[in-house]
């Protein structure tokens, strides 16, 4: 079986690529290597997969790749993935997440692919209050330019299943964290800023809630869905570990033995979703998957990974400083 993995040099895509290679699949990675992509994430499987640097909106080059590689299955991760960046500029989100997904679906349809795994997100459902959960039948109600672009890609996949009988499975994971995450997302931002004794920007009052899923658990869920999932179905992938942002920040500060005085409450993210929470009965019952890593274990492992890999993170810092300035404002 040969997998064509888009976005395989990204955070979750690389974790999945390593698992797929180690599980004996033939692997072709297609990645544009944007600021978020880095082949260093794949160094432990170097030489064991084929790599193409390509934009997923480049139909001609993609057709050439599909024709020469003849993959059986597409696992589609490639996306602009950060909510704050979609607020600064939505254009690349529309291009990559919507037009790129449509391009891939068209090619997959034309070559009659065996299976198309469309990686969506829990953010397509919109936000919850303090109570309740989203199940796979909950209506979509996305709120940010990012989540709207992901909901569009999610719906396009399901439309290609319904209209053209393309075998599509839609996966909606919750917030991932762990090694190799680009330090624009909450957990690596906090680790990095705390290590440098810099102010830690917490949006609003830090009361928003996310469901934290360790990245290797997510990769395992995706692999198991390839083996056991049913075409046309949607599966939520969540851990059950819900935390307020402020509690995530305090946990990291405690592990690093840093003072809570580093916390700085900053202007809230515009349109900030309050809470996400997934009902995962379907994936547990039909696929037999359940998250293995508790938040306490996962966060300890993540902090340790960043401490052990400061070289990698420091190489990202120059680009990050400019970005941090634009998202958090001057002097933060
Ligand atoms: P990421 O930003 O770390 O990686 C995205 C990858 O896609 C990068 O390697 C980048 O180079 C590549 N890419 C971007 N635009 C491209 C283009 N036009 N053509 C080809 N490649 C391109 O993202 P991630 O956090 O690993 O997320 C992967 C997928 O999972 C995304 O679809 C995201 O929406 C989804 N998701 C992420 C999370 C999370 O918490 N990180 C949770 C749920 C779903
Ligand atoms: O829920 C799944 C989604 O999780 C994925 O689809 C997205 O690709 C991924 O980026 C993530 O989105 P979030 O917006 O939830 O993640 P982020 O790490 O950006 O923020 C997590 C929470 O922390 C959110 O409530 C905003 C808050 N936050 C974030 C940053 C970067 C802060 O308070 N301060 C910060 O500096």
């Amino acid at each position: 079986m040969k997998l064509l993995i888009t976005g395989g040099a990204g955070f979750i895509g690389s974790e999945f690529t390593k698992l797929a290679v180690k599980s004996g699949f033939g692997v072709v990675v297609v990645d544009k290597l944007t600021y978020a992509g880095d082949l260093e994430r794949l160094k432990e499987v170097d030489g064991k997969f084929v790599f193409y640097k390509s934009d997923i909106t480049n139909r001609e080059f993609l057709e050439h790749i599909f024709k020469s590689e003849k993959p059986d299955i597409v696992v589609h991760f490639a996306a602009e993935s950060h909510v704050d960046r979609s607020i600064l500029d939505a254009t690349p989100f529309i291009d990559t997440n919507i037009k790129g997904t449509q391009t891939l679906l068209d090619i997959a349809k034309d070559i009659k692919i065996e299976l198309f795994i469309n990686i969506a997100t829990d953010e397509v459902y919109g936000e919850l209050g303090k109570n309740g959960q989203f199940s796979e039948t909950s209506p979509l109600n996305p709120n940010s330019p990012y989540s709207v672009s992901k909901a569009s890609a999610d719906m396009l996949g399901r439309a290609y299943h319904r209209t053209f009988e393309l075998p599509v499975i839609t996966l909606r994971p919750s917030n991932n964290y762990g090694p190799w995450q680009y330090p624009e997302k909450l957990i690596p931002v906090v680790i990095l800023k705390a290590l440098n004794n810099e102010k830690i920007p917490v949006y609003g009052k830090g009361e928003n809630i996310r469901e934290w899923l360790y990245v290797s658990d997510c990769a395992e869920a995706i692999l198991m869905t390839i083996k056991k999932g049913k075409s046309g179905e949607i599966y939520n992938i969540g851990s059950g570990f819900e935390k307020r942002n402020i509690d995530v920040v305090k946990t990291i500060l405690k592990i690093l033995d840093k003072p809570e005085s580093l916390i700085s409450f900053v202007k809230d993210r515009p349109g900030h979703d309050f809470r996400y929470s997934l009902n995962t009965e379907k994936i547990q019952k039909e696929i037999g998957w359940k998250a293995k890593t508790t938040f306490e274990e996962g966060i300890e492992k993540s902090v340790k990974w960043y401490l052990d890999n400061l070289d990698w993170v420091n190489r990202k810092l120059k680009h990050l400083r400019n970005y941090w300035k634009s998202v958090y404002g001057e002097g933060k």
Side-chain angles (χ1 to χ4, degrees):
M1 273 285 173
K2 196 189 260 193
L3 308 185
L4 185 145
I5 303 173
T6 72
F11 165 53
I12 310 177
S14 61
E15 185 72 26
F16 177 78
T17 297
K18 287 181 272 188
L19 180 64
V21 168
K22 288 173 193 167
S23 306
F25 287 93
V27 171
V28 178
V29 169
V30 175
D31 197 300
K32 183 181 177 181
L33 299 181
T34 66
Y35 77 93
D38 191 343
L39 285 172
E40 207 180 323
R41 293 191 175 102
L42 293 171
K43 63 187 175 201
E44 67 181 84
V45 291
D46 201 17
K48 295 185 176 150
F49 65 98
V50 177
F51 178 70
Y52 291 91
K53 183 171 190 295
S54 175
D55 193 313
I56 55 164
T57 60
N58 185 341
R59 183 180 293 258
E60 209 179 312
F61 192 42
L62 282 185
E63 278 172 350
H64 159 77
I65 298 170
F66 274 82
K67 214 168 159 191
S68 34
E69 295 295 341
K70 298 186 177 47
D72 304 293
I73 296 172
V74 171
V75 191
H76 174 37
F77 293 93
E80 287 292 335
S81 69
H82 192 38
V83 174
D84 290 328
R85 286 185 194 261
S86 80
I87 296 167
L88 294 171
D89 180 9
T91 308
F93 289 76
I94 305 303
D95 289 343
T96 291
N97 301 1
I98 304 179
K99 293 184 186 162
T101 301
Q102 180 231 332
T103 307
L104 282 164
L105 287 165
D106 271 342
I107 298 171
K109 163 173 77 71
D110 291 346
I111 65 151
K112 298 193 174 18
I113 201 85
E114 272 181 41
L115 182 61
F116 189 105
I117 302 283
N118 201 15
I119 307 292
T121 170
D122 62 359
E123 295 200 14
V124 298
Y125 297 117
E127 71 177 343
L128 286 167
K130 283 207 165 115
N131 300 309
Q133 280 197 320
F134 293 123
S135 77
E136 288 81 355
T137 53
S138 299
L140 304 195
N141 192 17
N143 292 313
S144 71
Y146 163 71
S147 54
V148 166
S149 69
K150 291 295 292 182
S152 307
D154 177 317
M155 291 190 286
L156 273 172
R158 288 181 295 115
Y160 274 62
H161 172 73
R162 164 100 181 213
T163 309
F164 306 112
E165 295 176 1
L166 184 70
V168 175
I169 292 179
T170 308
L171 299 181
R172 296 179 180 155
S174 66
N175 280 64
N176 275 233
Y177 70 106
W180 296 108
Q181 187 166 32
Y182 189 79
E184 63 187 352
K185 310 279 162 65
L186 178 69
I187 287 180
V189 165
V190 175
I191 298 172
L192 231 84
K193 295 227 175 230
L195 282 174
N196 291 325
N197 299 310
E198 290 175 32
K199 289 281 180 203
I200 294 163
V202 174
Y203 297 156
K205 293 180 180 160
E207 285 170 351
N208 301 60
I209 294 169
R210 295 292 181 268
E211 181 174 351
W212 293 101
L213 174 63
Y214 196 63
V215 65
S216 58
D217 284 344
C218 184
E220 187 186 54
I222 297 168
L223 194 74
M224 286 178 71
T225 309
I226 289 176
K227 293 178 180 161
K228 296 186 183 168
K230 233 175 98 196
S231 165
E233 293 295 319
I234 302 166
Y235 299 93
N236 285 342
I237 309 178
S239 64
F241 302 115
E242 288 186 46
K243 301 276 166 204
R244 293 190 311 164
N245 293 339
I246 190 67
D247 297 325
V248 171
V249 174
K250 286 182 180 172
T251 304
I252 296 170
L253 290 175
K254 202 162 171 205
I255 297 172
L256 288 170
D257 198 19
K258 295 285 181 178
E260 288 186 8
S261 56
L262 288 178
I263 294 172
S264 163
F265 293 99
V266 298
K267 196 167 148 284
D268 209 351
R269 171 186 279 174
H272 198 174
D273 283 339
F274 176 65
R275 172 171 168 255
Y276 310 126
S277 175
L278 293 176
N279 178 312
T280 55
E281 273 170 32
K282 185 171 173 181
I283 194 165
Q284 291 188 40
K285 272 198 198 131
E286 291 185 17
I287 310 291
W289 175 86
K290 198 172 187 305
K292 289 179 184 148
T293 313
T294 63
F295 182 74
E296 287 65 32
E297 280 173 75
I299 198 75
E300 284 273 358
K301 284 205 265 184
S302 305
V303 171
K304 182 174 183 324
W305 185 88
Y306 282 91
L307 286 172
D308 291 344
N309 289 274
L310 283 174
D311 279 1
W312 182 74
V313 186
N314 284 330
R315 266 180 272 137
K316 307 286 172 197
L317 264 182
K318 188 170 172 281
H319 179 264
L320 269 172
R321 294 244 171 254
N322 288 333
Y323 165 71
W324 281 346
K325 230 186 245 171
S326 58
V327 73
Y328 303 130
E330 291 294 332
K332 295 277 170 15

